[in-house]
Amino acid sequence: MNLAPYLLLATLEGLVQASVFALTALGLSLVFGVMRVVNVAHGEFFTLGAVGAWLCAMLLPGHPAISFAAALVAAPLAVGALAWAADRLILKRIDYDPEATIVSTIGLMYVIQQVVLMTFGPDARAVDAPFWYTIRFPWFGWSGYKVFIIVVAVALVGGLWLAMRHTRFGLIMRATQYDRETAQNFGIPVDRVYAAVFALGAMFAAVAGVLVVPNAQAHYLMGHDPLLMSFVVVIVGGLGSLPGTVAAAVLIGMADGWLSVFFSPTLAKIFSTLLVALVLVFRPAGLFGKAVRA
C-alpha cells in the first residue's frame, strides 16, 4: 500500500487545522497574556465572524469573492467594536477581577448565542467559497481555497509578531503585560490598551470564523469547538506566550490531520485531551510558558 498520498493529504489538512487553531487561539492568548482575563465568550466571536460572512453573502449578491472580501474586512471590525464595547461596559467596571471576568464572559457568551439564535435562526447556513480552484497532485485534487486559509493565517500571525516587536503599540502592550501598575505610572493608558487588546483578540477569532465558514456552515452553536480547541492550544503552548500558541497550534493541528486521516477524528480529540493532561502534570506553565514569579 502506497502511503504517500495519505501522508500528503494528512499533512495538508493538518496545516489548515493548524492555521485555524493559531488564529483562534492567538486571540485568546493575547487577551490573557496582556489582561490576565480568561475570555469564555471567545468562541462566540468566532461564531459572529461566520454569521457575518453569511450576512455579507446575503446582502451583496454577485460573485462570491465580493461578499467574502467584504466579510473579511467588515465582520472582524464589527466584532472588534462589540468586544471593545463589552470591555468598556462590563470588564472595566469589575476592574478585570479574574473570577468576575469569567462569570461575566460566560454571561456574554450566552447573550451573544441567544441573540444569534433569535436573529439568525437555528438552521446551519452555507456560504460559497470566494473562488473555486483545484490544485492537482499526482494522486488527488485539493482545494485551492484551503491554501488561501493557510496564507492568510501566516500573514496575520507574522503581522502580529512584527507589530508586537517593532511598533509603539506593541511596546506598550508588552509593557502593560509585564507590569500594569508601572506602565500606568509612566502614563500609559492601561484601560485603553486593555480595550484595544480585547477587541484585537476578538477580531482574530472573527477572521477565523470568516475563513472557516466556506468549508463548514454557519451555526449559532459553532463556537463551542473553537473555544475548546483554543483553550487546549493555549494551555499546551503556555498561557500568554504567542510563540508557544503558534507552536502548539501547529503540533495539535498536524496531529489532528494525521490521526483523522489514518485513524479517526475521535482519536484526534483524545490525543489533544491527553496532551493537555500531560502538559499540566509535567509542565504546568506550558511548553513555552514561564513559571509565575512569587
Side-chain angles (χ1 to χ4, degrees):
M1 176 173 141
N2 186 8
L3 292 178
Y6 297 98
L7 283 171
L8 179 59
L9 177 62
T11 300
L12 292 172
E13 292 295 335
L15 287 173
V16 176
Q17 290 280 51
S19 299
V20 176
F21 290 164
L23 286 177
T24 312
L26 269 177
L28 191 68
S29 180
L30 188 66
V31 168
F32 180 84
V34 176
M35 303 171 62
R36 294 296 184 265
V37 167
V38 178
N39 180 19
V40 184
H42 193 67
E44 306 317 305
F45 294 143
F46 179 95
T47 301
L48 290 175
V51 172
W54 174 84
L55 182 61
C56 287
M58 294 298 101
L59 296 177
L60 299 173
H63 196 283
I66 298 174
S67 60
F68 184 83
L72 205 53
V73 175
L77 288 176
V79 172
L82 175 64
W84 182 89
D87 176 88
R88 298 289 83 190
L89 297 175
I90 302 173
L91 302 184
K92 181 182 177 182
R93 294 177 181 272
I94 58 177
D95 197 29
Y96 305 100
D97 177 74
E99 291 80 9
T101 53
I102 292 176
V103 176
S104 299
T105 54
I106 289 175
L108 181 62
M109 175 187 72
Y110 283 115
V111 168
I112 295 175
Q113 193 178 100
Q114 293 307 307
V115 169
V116 172
L117 174 61
M118 289 187 295
T119 56
F120 179 75
D123 299 325
R125 313 287 178 89
V127 175
D128 291 333
F131 57 87
W132 298 100
Y133 179 76
T134 301
I135 300 175
R136 295 292 176 184
F137 293 101
W139 307 283
F140 56 84
W142 199 61
S143 169
Y145 175 71
K146 293 183 178 181
V147 176
F148 176 74
I149 294 177
I150 297 171
V151 170
V152 171
V154 170
L156 289 178
V157 171
L160 177 64
W161 183 84
L162 289 173
M164 290 289 289
R165 293 294 172 185
H166 301 289
T167 67
R168 183 172 181 272
F169 182 66
L171 178 63
I172 289 173
M173 279 199 296
R174 286 185 284 126
T176 305
Q177 176 181 5
Y178 185 76
D179 193 319
R180 173 184 175 180
E181 287 74 19
T182 301
Q184 207 159 20
N185 291 336
F186 275 90
I188 293 176
V190 171
D191 288 347
R192 280 190 281 177
V193 173
Y194 279 5
V197 168
F198 197 69
L200 184 61
M203 290 172 70
F204 266 84
V207 169
V210 173
L211 292 175
V212 160
V213 74
N215 286 337
Q217 290 183 324
H219 189 261
Y220 80 101
L221 292 176
M222 70 183 300
H224 289 174
D225 283 347
L227 176 64
L228 175 61
M229 293 309 301
S230 294
F231 275 118
V232 169
V233 170
V234 169
I235 291 171
V236 171
L239 292 171
S241 170
L242 298 189
T245 299
V246 174
V250 172
L251 171 63
I252 295 172
M254 295 302 295
D256 190 281
W258 288 332
L259 292 173
S260 296
V261 169
F262 286 102
F263 298 99
S264 72
T266 301
L267 186 60
K269 298 298 182 288
I270 292 174
F271 169 80
S272 300
T273 305
L274 180 61
L275 184 60
V276 169
L278 291 174
V279 168
L280 289 175
V281 170
F282 295 104
R283 192 172 174 82
L287 299 179
F288 287 74
K290 296 179 181 178
V292 178
R293 294 176 301 172

